[in-house]
Amino acid sequence: NAKIAKHTLNSAVDSILGKLERNYKIAVPSWHKSKLTLMVPLYITSDIAPDVVLALDKDKDGKVYRGRTILTLDMAYVNARLIIRPDSQWLNP
């Protein structure tokens, strides 16, 4: 059901936003199409390991990050650019 899927995704996004407010290092930088994006893990079926990764980039005004695509963990690992040492272990293969 589309409503259930939407609610589940929104809950996962709300959860990670709260975690990001407490620890910004959860977001891992990535370079895509000549611009910096941020990757954040989404925990849907478990609180232990993320199921997918949400790729975010800034809007045209540069004020708001928007989710643009969902990546697998393997895709996120390949795309990651570790500019800072992440606090979380979610990106480890």
Side-chain angles (χ1 to χ4, degrees):
N1 182 317
K3 277 188 172 181
I4 294 171
K6 183 178 179 181
H7 176 72
T8 302
L9 184 59
N10 285 339
S11 293
V13 169
D14 289 343
S15 176
I16 199 63
L17 288 176
K19 291 177 183 178
L20 283 167
E21 286 179 8
R22 293 185 298 277
N23 182 2
Y24 70 91
K25 291 182 181 180
I26 293 171
V28 173
S30 171
W31 192 253
H32 180 69
K33 293 186 179 182
S34 300
K35 64 181 171 179
L36 182 69
T37 63
L38 294 176
M39 298 185 299
V40 295
L42 294 182
Y43 298 82
I44 297 170
T45 61
S46 165
D47 290 336
I48 297 169
D51 297 285
V52 293
V53 176
L54 179 62
L56 308 165
D57 61 2
K58 284 190 177 182
D59 67 354
K60 290 190 309 185
D61 298 327
K63 296 180 181 179
V64 176
Y65 280 97
R66 299 201 187 274
R68 297 294 181 196
T69 192
I70 299 286
L71 304 171
T72 65
L73 293 175
D74 289 338
M75 293 165 70
Y77 183 77
V78 169
N79 292 341
R81 300 294 179 262
L82 294 181
I83 297 168
I84 60 170
R85 184 175 182 271
D87 255 2
S88 122
Q89 299 299 317
W90 72 264
L91 191 58
N92 287 342

